[in-house]
Amino acid sequence: MPHLEISDLITVTDPHGGARLPVRRADVIRRLHEAGDRRAARIVAALPVAGRTCSTRWPWIA
């Protein structure tokens, strides 16, 4: 089972320009579930989603 880090999954950058790219929260949660890390999946599920909350802390999570 691979060891996945939340920060590695929610922070994706364009290899050419270095700009942050949007990340689908559902994809991150799925990958964490597949790796057997239910706790991390719950943490990601609780993160704010861009455009749906007042928070801009993680604006790249969609």
Side-chain angles (χ1 to χ4, degrees):
M1 209 175 323
H3 177 76
L4 302 174
E5 292 287 335
I6 292 172
S7 58
D8 293 339
L9 297 174
I10 66 171
T11 307
V12 178
T13 57
D14 180 348
H16 302 291
R20 282 200 170 147
L21 300 173
V23 175
R24 290 182 41 84
R25 181 169 59 172
D27 294 340
V28 173
I29 293 170
R30 178 187 49 77
R31 288 185 63 189
L32 291 166
H33 271 289
E34 289 172 357
D37 196 342
R38 289 187 172 93
R39 181 174 181 265
R42 283 193 309 271
I43 291 169
V44 172
L47 292 175
V49 176
R52 294 188 194 159
T53 67
C54 296
S55 174
T56 57
R57 186 168 178 189
W58 295 288
W60 55 91
I61 300 176

CSV table of all heavy atoms in Angstrom, one decimal:
chain,number,residue,atom,x,y,z
A,1,MET,N,0.8,-1.2,0.0
A,1,MET,CA,0.0,0.0,0.0
A,1,MET,C,0.9,1.2,0.0
A,1,MET,O,1.7,1.4,0.9
A,1,MET,CB,-0.9,0.0,1.2
A,1,MET,CG,-2.2,0.6,1.1
A,1,MET,SD,-3.3,0.5,2.5
A,1,MET,CE,-3.1,-1.1,3.1
A,2,PRO,N,0.7,2.2,-0.9
A,2,PRO,CA,1.5,3.4,-1.0
A,2,PRO,C,1.2,4.3,0.1
A,2,PRO,O,0.1,4.4,0.6
A,2,PRO,CB,1.2,4.0,-2.3
A,2,PRO,CG,-0.2,3.5,-2.7
A,2,PRO,CD,-0.3,2.1,-2.0
A,3,HIS,N,2.2,5.0,0.6
A,3,HIS,CA,2.0,6.1,1.6
A,3,HIS,C,1.8,7.4,0.9
A,3,HIS,O,2.6,7.8,0.2
A,3,HIS,CB,3.2,6.2,2.5
A,3,HIS,CG,3.1,7.3,3.5
A,3,HIS,ND1,2.3,7.1,4.7
A,3,HIS,CD2,3.6,8.5,3.6
A,3,HIS,CE1,2.4,8.3,5.3
A,3,HIS,NE2,3.2,9.1,4.7
A,4,LEU,N,0.6,8.0,1.1
A,4,LEU,CA,0.2,9.2,0.4
A,4,LEU,C,0.2,10.3,1.4
A,4,LEU,O,-0.3,10.2,2.6
A,4,LEU,CB,-1.2,9.1,-0.3
A,4,LEU,CG,-1.3,7.9,-1.3
A,4,LEU,CD1,-2.7,7.9,-1.8
A,4,LEU,CD2,-0.4,8.2,-2.4
A,5,GLU,N,0.6,11.5,1.0
A,5,GLU,CA,0.6,12.7,1.8
A,5,GLU,C,-0.5,13.6,1.3
A,5,GLU,O,-0.6,13.8,0.1
A,5,GLU,CB,1.9,13.5,1.8
A,5,GLU,CG,3.1,12.7,2.4
A,5,GLU,CD,3.0,12.8,3.9
A,5,GLU,OE1,2.4,13.7,4.5
A,5,GLU,OE2,3.6,11.9,4.5
A,6,ILE,N,-1.4,14.1,2.2
A,6,ILE,CA,-2.4,15.0,1.8
A,6,ILE,C,-1.9,16.2,1.0
A,6,ILE,O,-2.4,16.5,-0.1
A,6,ILE,CB,-3.2,15.5,3.0
A,6,ILE,CG1,-4.0,14.3,3.6
A,6,ILE,CG2,-4.2,16.6,2.6
A,6,ILE,CD1,-4.7,14.7,4.9
A,7,SER,N,-0.8,16.8,1.5
A,7,SER,CA,-0.3,18.0,0.8
A,7,SER,C,0.2,17.7,-0.6
A,7,SER,O,0.1,18.5,-1.5
A,7,SER,CB,0.9,18.6,1.6
A,7,SER,OG,1.9,17.6,1.8
A,8,ASP,N,0.7,16.5,-0.8
A,8,ASP,CA,1.1,16.1,-2.2
A,8,ASP,C,-0.1,15.9,-3.1
A,8,ASP,O,0.0,16.2,-4.3
A,8,ASP,CB,1.9,14.8,-2.2
A,8,ASP,CG,3.3,15.0,-1.4
A,8,ASP,OD1,3.7,16.1,-1.3
A,8,ASP,OD2,3.8,13.9,-1.0
A,9,LEU,N,-1.2,15.5,-2.6
A,9,LEU,CA,-2.4,15.3,-3.4
A,9,LEU,C,-3.2,16.5,-3.7
A,9,LEU,O,-3.8,16.6,-4.7
A,9,LEU,CB,-3.3,14.2,-2.7
A,9,LEU,CG,-2.6,12.8,-2.5
A,9,LEU,CD1,-3.6,11.9,-1.7
A,9,LEU,CD2,-2.3,12.2,-3.9
A,10,ILE,N,-3.2,17.5,-2.7
A,10,ILE,CA,-4.0,18.7,-2.9
A,10,ILE,C,-3.2,19.8,-3.6
A,10,ILE,O,-3.8,20.9,-3.9
A,10,ILE,CB,-4.7,19.1,-1.6
A,10,ILE,CG1,-3.7,19.6,-0.6
A,10,ILE,CG2,-5.6,18.0,-1.1
A,10,ILE,CD1,-4.3,20.3,0.6
A,11,THR,N,-1.9,19.7,-3.7
A,11,THR,CA,-1.1,20.7,-4.3
A,11,THR,C,-0.5,20.2,-5.6
A,11,THR,O,0.5,19.5,-5.6
A,11,THR,CB,0.0,21.2,-3.3
A,11,THR,OG1,-0.6,21.5,-2.1
A,11,THR,CG2,0.8,22.4,-3.9
A,12,VAL,N,-1.1,20.6,-6.7
A,12,VAL,CA,-0.6,20.1,-8.0
A,12,VAL,C,-0.2,21.4,-8.8
A,12,VAL,O,-0.9,22.4,-8.8
A,12,VAL,CB,-1.6,19.4,-8.8
A,12,VAL,CG1,-1.2,19.0,-10.2
A,12,VAL,CG2,-2.1,18.1,-8.0
A,13,THR,N,1.0,21.4,-9.4
A,13,THR,CA,1.5,22.5,-10.1
A,13,THR,C,1.7,22.2,-11.6
A,13,THR,O,2.1,21.1,-11.9
A,13,THR,CB,2.8,23.1,-9.5
A,13,THR,OG1,3.8,22.1,-9.5
A,13,THR,CG2,2.5,23.6,-8.1
A,14,ASP,N,1.6,23.2,-12.4
A,14,ASP,CA,1.9,23.1,-13.8
A,14,ASP,C,3.4,22.9,-14.0
A,14,ASP,O,4.2,23.8,-13.5
A,14,ASP,CB,1.4,24.3,-14.6
A,14,ASP,CG,1.7,24.3,-16.0
A,14,ASP,OD1,2.5,23.5,-16.5
A,14,ASP,OD2,1.2,25.2,-16.7
A,15,PRO,N,3.9,21.8,-14.6
A,15,PRO,CA,5.3,21.6,-14.7
A,15,PRO,C,6.0,22.6,-15.6
A,15,PRO,O,7.2,22.8,-15.5
A,15,PRO,CB,5.4,20.2,-15.4
A,15,PRO,CG,4.1,20.0,-16.0
A,15,PRO,CD,3.1,20.8,-15.2
A,16,HIS,N,5.3,23.3,-16.4
A,16,HIS,CA,5.9,24.3,-17.3
A,16,HIS,C,6.0,25.7,-16.7
A,16,HIS,O,7.0,26.4,-16.7
A,16,HIS,CB,5.2,24.4,-18.7
A,16,HIS,CG,5.2,23.0,-19.3
A,16,HIS,ND1,6.3,22.5,-19.9
A,16,HIS,CD2,4.2,22.2,-19.6
A,16,HIS,CE1,6.0,21.3,-20.4
A,16,HIS,NE2,4.7,21.1,-20.2
A,17,GLY,N,4.9,26.1,-16.1
A,17,GLY,CA,4.8,27.5,-15.6
A,17,GLY,C,4.9,27.6,-14.1
A,17,GLY,O,5.1,28.6,-13.5
A,18,GLY,N,4.6,26.5,-13.4
A,18,GLY,CA,4.7,26.5,-11.9
A,18,GLY,C,3.4,26.9,-11.3
A,18,GLY,O,3.3,27.0,-10.0
A,19,ALA,N,2.4,27.3,-12.0
A,19,ALA,CA,1.1,27.7,-11.5
A,19,ALA,C,0.4,26.6,-10.8
A,19,ALA,O,0.5,25.4,-11.3
A,19,ALA,CB,0.2,28.4,-12.5
A,20,ARG,N,-0.4,26.9,-9.8
A,20,ARG,CA,-1.2,25.8,-9.2
A,20,ARG,C,-2.3,25.4,-10.1
A,20,ARG,O,-3.0,26.3,-10.7
A,20,ARG,CB,-1.7,26.3,-7.8
A,20,ARG,CG,-0.7,26.2,-6.8
A,20,ARG,CD,-1.3,26.2,-5.4
A,20,ARG,NE,-0.3,25.9,-4.4
A,20,ARG,CZ,-0.4,26.4,-3.2
A,20,ARG,NH1,-1.3,27.2,-2.8
A,20,ARG,NH2,0.6,26.1,-2.4
A,21,LEU,N,-2.6,24.1,-10.1
A,21,LEU,CA,-3.7,23.6,-10.9
A,21,LEU,C,-4.8,23.2,-10.0
A,21,LEU,O,-4.6,22.8,-8.9
A,21,LEU,CB,-3.2,22.4,-11.8
A,21,LEU,CG,-2.1,22.7,-12.7
A,21,LEU,CD1,-1.6,21.4,-13.4
A,21,LEU,CD2,-2.6,23.7,-13.8
A,22,PRO,N,-6.1,23.2,-10.5
A,22,PRO,CA,-7.2,22.8,-9.7
A,22,PRO,C,-7.1,21.3,-9.4
A,22,PRO,O,-6.6,20.5,-10.2
A,22,PRO,CB,-8.5,23.1,-10.5
A,22,PRO,CG,-8.0,23.8,-11.7
A,22,PRO,CD,-6.5,23.7,-11.8
A,23,VAL,N,-7.6,20.9,-8.2
A,23,VAL,CA,-7.6,19.5,-7.8
A,23,VAL,C,-9.0,19.1,-7.4
A,23,VAL,O,-9.6,19.9,-6.6
A,23,VAL,CB,-6.6,19.3,-6.6
A,23,VAL,CG1,-6.7,17.8,-6.1
A,23,VAL,CG2,-5.2,19.6,-7.0
A,24,ARG,N,-9.5,18.0,-7.9
A,24,ARG,CA,-10.9,17.6,-7.5
A,24,ARG,C,-10.8,16.8,-6.2
A,24,ARG,O,-10.1,15.8,-6.0
A,24,ARG,CB,-11.5,16.6,-8.6
A,24,ARG,CG,-11.8,17.4,-9.9
A,24,ARG,CD,-12.5,16.5,-10.9
A,24,ARG,NE,-13.4,15.5,-10.4
A,24,ARG,CZ,-14.7,15.8,-10.1
A,24,ARG,NH1,-15.2,17.0,-10.4
A,24,ARG,NH2,-15.5,14.8,-9.6
A,25,ARG,N,-11.5,17.4,-5.2
A,25,ARG,CA,-11.5,16.8,-3.9
A,25,ARG,C,-11.9,15.3,-3.9
A,25,ARG,O,-11.3,14.5,-3.2
A,25,ARG,CB,-12.4,17.6,-2.9
A,25,ARG,CG,-12.4,17.0,-1.5
A,25,ARG,CD,-13.0,17.9,-0.5
A,25,ARG,NE,-14.4,18.2,-0.8
A,25,ARG,CZ,-15.2,18.9,0.0
A,25,ARG,NH1,-14.8,19.3,1.1
A,25,ARG,NH2,-16.4,19.1,-0.4
A,26,ALA,N,-12.9,15.0,-4.7
A,26,ALA,CA,-13.4,13.6,-4.8
A,26,ALA,C,-12.3,12.7,-5.3
A,26,ALA,O,-12.2,11.5,-4.8
A,26,ALA,CB,-14.6,13.5,-5.7
A,27,ASP,N,-11.4,13.1,-6.2
A,27,ASP,CA,-10.3,12.3,-6.6
A,27,ASP,C,-9.3,12.0,-5.5
A,27,ASP,O,-8.8,10.9,-5.4
A,27,ASP,CB,-9.6,12.9,-7.8
A,27,ASP,CG,-10.5,13.0,-9.1
A,27,ASP,OD1,-11.5,12.3,-9.1
A,27,ASP,OD2,-10.2,13.8,-9.9
A,28,VAL,N,-9.0,13.1,-4.7
A,28,VAL,CA,-8.1,12.9,-3.6
A,28,VAL,C,-8.7,11.9,-2.6
A,28,VAL,O,-8.0,11.0,-2.1
A,28,VAL,CB,-7.8,14.3,-3.0
A,28,VAL,CG1,-7.0,14.1,-1.7
A,28,VAL,CG2,-7.1,15.2,-4.0
A,29,ILE,N,-9.9,12.1,-2.3
A,29,ILE,CA,-10.6,11.2,-1.3
A,29,ILE,C,-10.6,9.8,-1.8
A,29,ILE,O,-10.3,8.9,-1.0
A,29,ILE,CB,-12.0,11.7,-1.0
A,29,ILE,CG1,-12.0,13.0,-0.2
A,29,ILE,CG2,-12.8,10.7,-0.2
A,29,ILE,CD1,-13.3,13.7,-0.1
A,30,ARG,N,-10.9,9.6,-3.1
A,30,ARG,CA,-10.9,8.3,-3.6
A,30,ARG,C,-9.5,7.6,-3.5
A,30,ARG,O,-9.4,6.5,-3.1
A,30,ARG,CB,-11.3,8.3,-5.1
A,30,ARG,CG,-11.3,6.9,-5.8
A,30,ARG,CD,-11.5,7.1,-7.3
A,30,ARG,NE,-10.7,8.1,-8.0
A,30,ARG,CZ,-9.4,7.9,-8.3
A,30,ARG,NH1,-8.8,6.8,-8.0
A,30,ARG,NH2,-8.8,8.9,-8.9
A,31,ARG,N,-8.4,8.4,-3.9
A,31,ARG,CA,-7.1,7.8,-3.8
A,31,ARG,C,-6.7,7.4,-2.4
A,31,ARG,O,-6.1,6.4,-2.1
A,31,ARG,CB,-6.1,8.8,-4.4
A,31,ARG,CG,-6.2,8.9,-5.9
A,31,ARG,CD,-5.1,9.8,-6.5
A,31,ARG,NE,-3.8,9.3,-6.2
A,31,ARG,CZ,-2.7,9.9,-6.5
A,31,ARG,NH1,-2.7,11.1,-6.9
A,31,ARG,NH2,-1.5,9.3,-6.2
A,32,LEU,N,-7.1,8.3,-1.4
A,32,LEU,CA,-6.8,8.0,0.0
A,32,LEU,C,-7.6,6.7,0.5
A,32,LEU,O,-7.0,5.9,1.2
A,32,LEU,CB,-7.1,9.2,0.9
A,32,LEU,CG,-6.2,10.4,0.7
A,32,LEU,CD1,-6.8,11.6,1.3
A,32,LEU,CD2,-4.8,10.1,1.2
A,33,HIS,N,-8.8,6.6,0.1
A,33,HIS,CA,-9.6,5.4,0.4
A,33,HIS,C,-9.0,4.2,-0.2
A,33,HIS,O,-8.8,3.1,0.5
A,33,HIS,CB,-11.1,5.5,-0.1
A,33,HIS,CG,-12.0,6.2,0.9
A,33,HIS,ND1,-12.4,5.5,2.1
A,33,HIS,CD2,-12.6,7.4,0.9
A,33,HIS,CE1,-13.1,6.3,2.8
A,33,HIS,NE2,-13.3,7.5,2.1
A,34,GLU,N,-8.6,4.3,-1.5
A,34,GLU,CA,-7.9,3.1,-2.1
A,34,GLU,C,-6.6,2.7,-1.4
A,34,GLU,O,-6.3,1.5,-1.4
A,34,GLU,CB,-7.6,3.5,-3.6
A,34,GLU,CG,-8.9,3.5,-4.4
A,34,GLU,CD,-8.7,4.0,-5.8
A,34,GLU,OE1,-7.5,4.4,-6.2
A,34,GLU,OE2,-9.6,4.0,-6.6
A,35,ALA,N,-5.9,3.7,-0.8
A,35,ALA,CA,-4.7,3.4,-0.1
A,35,ALA,C,-5.0,3.0,1.3
A,35,ALA,O,-4.0,2.6,2.0
A,35,ALA,CB,-3.8,4.7,-0.1
A,36,GLY,N,-6.2,2.9,1.7
A,36,GLY,CA,-6.6,2.5,3.0
A,36,GLY,C,-6.5,3.5,4.1
A,36,GLY,O,-6.5,3.2,5.3
A,37,ASP,N,-6.3,4.8,3.8
A,37,ASP,CA,-6.1,5.9,4.7
A,37,ASP,C,-7.5,6.6,4.9
A,37,ASP,O,-7.7,7.7,4.4
A,37,ASP,CB,-5.0,6.8,4.3
A,37,ASP,CG,-4.5,7.7,5.4
A,37,ASP,OD1,-5.3,7.8,6.4
A,37,ASP,OD2,-3.4,8.2,5.3
A,38,ARG,N,-8.4,6.0,5.7
A,38,ARG,CA,-9.7,6.6,5.9
A,38,ARG,C,-9.6,7.9,6.7
A,38,ARG,O,-10.4,8.8,6.5
A,38,ARG,CB,-10.6,5.6,6.6
A,38,ARG,CG,-11.0,4.5,5.6
A,38,ARG,CD,-12.0,3.6,6.3
A,38,ARG,NE,-12.5,2.6,5.3
A,38,ARG,CZ,-12.0,1.4,5.2
A,38,ARG,NH1,-11.0,1.0,5.9
A,38,ARG,NH2,-12.5,0.6,4.3
A,39,ARG,N,-8.7,8.0,7.6
A,39,ARG,CA,-8.5,9.2,8.4
A,39,ARG,C,-8.1,10.4,7.5
A,39,ARG,O,-8.7,11.5,7.6
A,39,ARG,CB,-7.5,9.0,9.5
A,39,ARG,CG,-7.3,10.2,10.4
A,39,ARG,CD,-6.3,10.0,11.5
A,39,ARG,NE,-6.2,11.1,12.4
A,39,ARG,CZ,-5.2,12.0,12.3
A,39,ARG,NH1,-4.3,11.9,11.4
A,39,ARG,NH2,-5.2,13.1,13.0
A,40,ALA,N,-7.2,10.2,6.7
A,40,ALA,CA,-6.8,11.3,5.7
A,40,ALA,C,-7.9,11.6,4.8
A,40,ALA,O,-8.1,12.8,4.5
A,40,ALA,CB,-5.6,10.9,4.9
A,41,ALA,N,-8.7,10.6,4.4
A,41,ALA,CA,-9.9,10.9,3.5
A,41,ALA,C,-10.9,11.8,4.2
A,41,ALA,O,-11.4,12.7,3.7
A,41,ALA,CB,-10.5,9.6,3.1
A,42,ARG,N,-11.1,11.5,5.5
A,42,ARG,CA,-12.0,12.4,6.3
A,42,ARG,C,-11.5,13.8,6.5
A,42,ARG,O,-12.2,14.8,6.4
A,42,ARG,CB,-12.2,11.8,7.7
A,42,ARG,CG,-13.2,10.6,7.7
A,42,ARG,CD,-13.6,10.2,9.1
A,42,ARG,NE,-12.5,10.0,10.1
A,42,ARG,CZ,-11.9,8.9,10.3
A,42,ARG,NH1,-12.2,7.8,9.6
A,42,ARG,NH2,-10.9,8.9,11.2
A,43,ILE,N,-10.2,13.9,6.7
A,43,ILE,CA,-9.6,15.3,6.8
A,43,ILE,C,-9.8,16.0,5.5
A,43,ILE,O,-10.2,17.2,5.5
A,43,ILE,CB,-8.1,15.2,7.1
A,43,ILE,CG1,-7.9,14.6,8.5
A,43,ILE,CG2,-7.4,16.5,6.9
A,43,ILE,CD1,-6.5,14.2,8.9
A,44,VAL,N,-9.5,15.4,4.3
A,44,VAL,CA,-9.7,16.1,3.1
A,44,VAL,C,-11.1,16.4,2.8
A,44,VAL,O,-11.5,17.5,2.3
A,44,VAL,CB,-9.1,15.2,1.9
A,44,VAL,CG1,-9.5,15.8,0.5
A,44,VAL,CG2,-7.6,15.1,2.0
A,45,ALA,N,-12.0,15.5,3.2
A,45,ALA,CA,-13.5,15.8,3.0
A,45,ALA,C,-13.9,17.0,3.8
A,45,ALA,O,-14.9,17.7,3.4
A,45,ALA,CB,-14.3,14.6,3.4
A,46,ALA,N,-13.2,17.3,4.9
A,46,ALA,CA,-13.6,18.5,5.7
A,46,ALA,C,-13.0,19.8,5.2
A,46,ALA,O,-13.3,20.9,5.7
A,46,ALA,CB,-13.2,18.2,7.2
A,47,LEU,N,-12.0,19.7,4.3
A,47,LEU,CA,-11.4,21.0,3.8
A,47,LEU,C,-12.4,21.8,3.0
A,47,LEU,O,-13.3,21.2,2.3
A,47,LEU,CB,-10.2,20.6,2.9
A,47,LEU,CG,-9.0,20.0,3.5
A,47,LEU,CD1,-8.0,19.6,2.5
A,47,LEU,CD2,-8.4,20.9,4.5
A,48,PRO,N,-12.3,23.1,3.1
A,48,PRO,CA,-13.2,24.0,2.3
A,48,PRO,C,-13.0,23.8,0.8
A,48,PRO,O,-11.9,23.5,0.4
A,48,PRO,CB,-12.8,25.4,2.8
A,48,PRO,CG,-11.5,25.3,3.4
A,48,PRO,CD,-11.3,23.9,3.9
A,49,VAL,N,-14.0,24.0,0.1
A,49,VAL,CA,-14.0,23.9,-1.4
A,49,VAL,C,-14.1,25.3,-2.0
A,49,VAL,O,-14.9,26.1,-1.6
A,49,VAL,CB,-15.2,23.0,-1.9
A,49,VAL,CG1,-15.2,22.9,-3.4
A,49,VAL,CG2,-15.1,21.6,-1.3
A,50,ALA,N,-13.2,25.5,-3.0
A,50,ALA,CA,-13.2,26.8,-3.7
A,50,ALA,C,-14.6,27.2,-4.2
A,50,ALA,O,-15.3,26.3,-4.8
A,50,ALA,CB,-12.2,26.8,-4.8
A,51,GLY,N,-15.1,28.4,-4.0
A,51,GLY,CA,-16.3,28.8,-4.5
A,51,GLY,C,-17.5,28.4,-3.7
A,51,GLY,O,-18.6,28.8,-3.9
A,52,ARG,N,-17.3,27.6,-2.6
A,52,ARG,CA,-18.5,27.2,-1.8
A,52,ARG,C,-18.4,27.6,-0.4
A,52,ARG,O,-19.3,27.3,0.4
A,52,ARG,CB,-18.6,25.6,-1.9
A,52,ARG,CG,-18.9,25.1,-3.2
A,52,ARG,CD,-19.1,23.6,-3.2
A,52,ARG,NE,-19.1,23.1,-4.6
A,52,ARG,CZ,-18.9,21.9,-4.8
A,52,ARG,NH1,-18.7,21.0,-3.9
A,52,ARG,NH2,-18.9,21.5,-6.1
A,53,THR,N,-17.3,28.3,0.0
A,53,THR,CA,-17.2,28.8,1.3
A,53,THR,C,-16.5,30.2,1.3
A,53,THR,O,-16.1,30.6,0.2
A,53,THR,CB,-16.2,27.9,2.2
A,53,THR,OG1,-14.9,28.0,1.6
A,53,THR,CG2,-16.7,26.4,2.2
A,54,CYS,N,-16.5,30.8,2.4
A,54,CYS,CA,-15.8,32.1,2.5
A,54,CYS,C,-14.3,32.0,2.6
A,54,CYS,O,-13.6,33.0,2.4
A,54,CYS,CB,-16.3,32.9,3.7
A,54,CYS,SG,-18.1,33.3,3.6
A,55,SER,N,-13.8,30.8,2.9
A,55,SER,CA,-12.4,30.6,3.1
A,55,SER,C,-11.6,30.6,1.8
A,55,SER,O,-12.1,30.1,0.8
A,55,SER,CB,-12.2,29.3,3.8
A,55,SER,OG,-10.8,29.0,3.8
A,56,THR,N,-10.5,31.2,1.8
A,56,THR,CA,-9.6,31.2,0.6
A,56,THR,C,-8.3,30.5,1.0
A,56,THR,O,-7.3,30.6,0.3
A,56,THR,CB,-9.3,32.6,0.1
A,56,THR,OG1,-8.7,33.3,1.1
A,56,THR,CG2,-10.5,33.3,-0.5
A,57,ARG,N,-8.3,29.8,2.1
A,57,ARG,CA,-7.1,29.1,2.5
A,57,ARG,C,-6.6,28.1,1.5
A,57,ARG,O,-5.4,27.9,1.3
A,57,ARG,CB,-7.3,28.5,3.9
A,57,ARG,CG,-6.1,27.9,4.5
A,57,ARG,CD,-6.3,27.5,5.9
A,57,ARG,NE,-5.1,26.9,6.4
A,57,ARG,CZ,-5.0,26.3,7.6
A,57,ARG,NH1,-6.0,26.3,8.4
A,57,ARG,NH2,-3.8,25.8,8.0
A,58,TRP,N,-7.5,27.3,0.9
A,58,TRP,CA,-7.2,26.3,-0.1
A,58,TRP,C,-8.0,26.5,-1.3
A,58,TRP,O,-8.8,25.7,-1.7
A,58,TRP,CB,-7.4,24.9,0.5
A,58,TRP,CG,-6.6,24.5,1.6
A,58,TRP,CD1,-5.2,24.2,1.6
A,58,TRP,CD2,-7.0,24.4,3.0
A,58,TRP,NE1,-4.8,23.9,2.8
A,58,TRP,CE2,-5.8,24.0,3.7
A,58,TRP,CE3,-8.2,24.5,3.7
A,58,TRP,CZ2,-5.8,23.8,5.1
A,58,TRP,CZ3,-8.2,24.3,5.0
A,58,TRP,CH2,-7.0,24.0,5.7
A,59,PRO,N,-7.8,27.6,-2.0
A,59,PRO,CA,-8.6,28.0,-3.2
A,59,PRO,C,-8.5,27.0,-4.4
A,59,PRO,O,-9.3,27.1,-5.3
A,59,PRO,CB,-8.2,29.4,-3.5
A,59,PRO,CG,-6.8,29.5,-3.0
A,59,PRO,CD,-6.7,28.6,-1.8
A,60,TRP,N,-7.5,26.2,-4.4
A,60,TRP,CA,-7.2,25.3,-5.5
A,60,TRP,C,-8.0,24.0,-5.4
A,60,TRP,O,-7.9,23.2,-6.3
A,60,TRP,CB,-5.7,25.1,-5.7
A,60,TRP,CG,-5.1,24.5,-4.4
A,60,TRP,CD1,-4.9,23.2,-4.1
A,60,TRP,CD2,-4.6,25.2,-3.3
A,60,TRP,NE1,-4.4,23.1,-2.9
A,60,TRP,CE2,-4.1,24.3,-2.4
A,60,TRP,CE3,-4.4,26.6,-3.0
A,60,TRP,CZ2,-3.5,24.7,-1.2
A,60,TRP,CZ3,-3.9,26.9,-1.8
A,60,TRP,CH2,-3.4,26.0,-0.9
A,61,ILE,N,-8.7,23.7,-4.3
A,61,ILE,CA,-9.4,22.5,-4.1
A,61,ILE,C,-10.8,22.7,-4.7
A,61,ILE,O,-11.5,23.6,-4.3
A,61,ILE,CB,-9.5,22.0,-2.7
A,61,ILE,CG1,-8.1,21.8,-2.1
A,61,ILE,CG2,-10.3,20.8,-2.6
A,61,ILE,CD1,-8.1,21.5,-0.7
A,62,ALA,N,-11.2,21.8,-5.6
A,62,ALA,CA,-12.5,21.9,-6.3
A,62,ALA,C,-13.3,20.7,-6.0
A,62,ALA,O,-12.9,19.7,-5.6
A,62,ALA,CB,-12.3,22.1,-7.8
